[in-house]
Structures are given as C-alpha cells and as structure tokens.
Amino acid sequence: MCRIYGHFNAVVPSDHLARVGELQRHGGPDWQGCSAGPDWSLGSNRLAVMDPAGGRQPYRSASGAVHAVLNGEIYNHAELRERLRALGHRFADRCDGSILPALYEEYGDAFVDHLDGMYAIAVLDLRAEPRLVLVTDHLGMKPLFHHWDERRGALFFSSEIPALLAFPDVSADAWEPGLEAYLASKTPFGEQTMFRDVSALPPAVTAVCDRAGGLRVRRRPPPAPEPGRRRGDLRTLLHGEVDALLEADVPLASITSGGLDSSLVTALATGKAPRLHTFNIAYTGSRP
C-alpha cells in the first residue's frame, strides 16, 4: 500500500531520485510523484485505494509551503477533513492523505496525535525554518528506513532498503552483527539493520530534522483509552476496525495465512462485504 521516500539537507541528482522511485514502483504502481528542491525531495509511489482519480502525492498545502507523503491509511480522515474545513481549509479531493498538510499547519508536530490509522508519514515544512518530520504509527505497521549523516546533517529515508541504498550517499556496506542475527532468525532485531548505514525507525516515533538542530527522535506515549471504553469490548472494537478497513473505492481482498488473526478479520469482513475475494500463498518444493 504505497511507498514513500525523500531526503533533506543534501544535494541529490535527479537521476538518482528517479532510480529511488523506480525501485519502489511495485509497491505503488498507480502513481509516482516527486517534489524536489536544491537540497530536499519528497516522493511517493501510490497504490490507489481511496479516490483513485485524486490523491496525487506529494500532497501540498494551499500555500505550497507544506508537503506530505503517506504510506498507509488514515481511518478518521473524513472527520478530520470536516474539522479542517470549519477552520477554513479547502480540499480538491477526498483522499485520506490530502488532509495531512492542513492538519500539520494547524497542529505542528502534534498533528499525529489526531490520527487514527496505520501509517508512515513524511512532512516537509518549507516555511521560515525548513524542516522534515517523519512519523510512524504506534505498532510500526508501515516500515520506514533512514540514514542520518551526522557530519553533514543530512537525512535520507524510504519505505524499502534497496531504495534507500540507491541514494548516492548511503553505503551498502554490511553490519556484521545485524547480518548474523538475520541469517540466524530470518528477522531483524531492533533499529539497526544488516547494513551499516541503514536504520529502521521504531514504532510510535516522531523524528524532526532541521538545519539548526540536526535530528531529534522522540517516542510518543501510548494513546489514552477512549472515554467510556470498558473491558470486554473486544467484539465491538474488532467490528469497528474491520469497518474502517473496508472503506475503499476499489475492490478489496483478504490475504488468509491460516492463522487466527487473518481468519477472524476475513470472517468479520465477509459478513459486511459478501463478495470479498480471498487469497493465500503456497510453496512448492522445499522451503529455505
């Protein structure tokens, strides 16, 4: 569901930016867009689920000074759009991510506190003091990798490691402890990957990069429980989450692994969308 990428405070040739975007096209085949300046870029490969005709990322504020890209889905976008309209903001489409520049203009870094969804988001603020803001949701459902060049004060990021390595200033040199851990367990551990220059942004993080203060990473506290929520409301919560997942302008499907979580989600979704397609994957031969 989409891919995002970009950089801040470094000069990157346009052909390298094109290569970064092309490496992630498989994750966002419906639209590829990139905004770039002398020392920054913000790009997206979009898989169109909401408002396929609109939603051309990067999203821009009415002033053109705030840009944003989204990988994921904002479940409460309709409610937020109405609130922002009441504050004077206007929107050209009804895509969930198009609210992000206006939401950032109203609330600054705290814009993420108003979101309900699964997401990795980048916001570029080109007003008086240019800055790049990266945020991840509380479960880290959407990956976001980055490289921080402390010597130059430059930040590079992308949804996938191969794309990040396509930036000219990011090395593909291995980090042996991470490589050994991955080969032993088939999964990475912590923030450091098997590449020396590549780190994973943790869940529930807001990372801010500017030219004066460098890179500052802040972990956000867990969201407060909804007022009136009682223990034992699991069924109500599950139905509400599945309802949110079924909002789309294109046909939806469910990937079933055979586990409890995908089976439960599929069962609930089938009751609400009877023509729901399901898919699973089988391997032939021996598995590595």
Side-chain angles (χ1 to χ4, degrees), residues 10-32:
V11 177
V12 177
S14 58
D15 58 332
H16 284 271
L17 288 178
R19 175 64 176 159
V20 172
E22 195 61 35
L23 284 169
Q24 297 191 134
R25 184 182 287 274
H26 59 273
D30 297 321
W31 172 258
Q32 182 173 330

Side-chain angles (χ1 to χ4, degrees), residues 103-142:
L103 196 67
Y104 175 86
E105 286 185 332
E106 288 293 335
Y107 301 106
D109 295 349
F111 82 98
V112 67
D113 297 332
H114 299 264
L115 300 178
D116 176 16
M118 53 176 182
Y119 48 80
I121 296 169
V123 176
L124 185 68
D125 184 350
L126 296 174
R127 292 177 292 185
E129 298 293 336
R131 63 207 303 263
L132 176 68
V133 181
L134 305 178
V135 298
T136 54
D137 65 46
H138 282 277
L139 296 179
M141 294 182 68
K142 296 300 176 182

Side-chain angles (χ1 to χ4, degrees), residues 3 14 16 29 50 57 86 102 131 137 145 149 218:
R3 300 291 189 271
S14 58
H16 284 271
M50 290 295 300
Q57 300 194 44
R131 63 207 303 263
D137 65 46
F145 299 97
D149 186 333
R218 176 178 65 87

Side-chain angles (χ1 to χ4, degrees), residues 185-199:
S185 64
K186 300 293 189 297
T187 186
F189 290 99
E191 299 173 26
Q192 182 64 50
T193 69
M194 68 179 70
F195 297 95
R196 188 175 303 277
D197 274 2
V198 179
S199 300

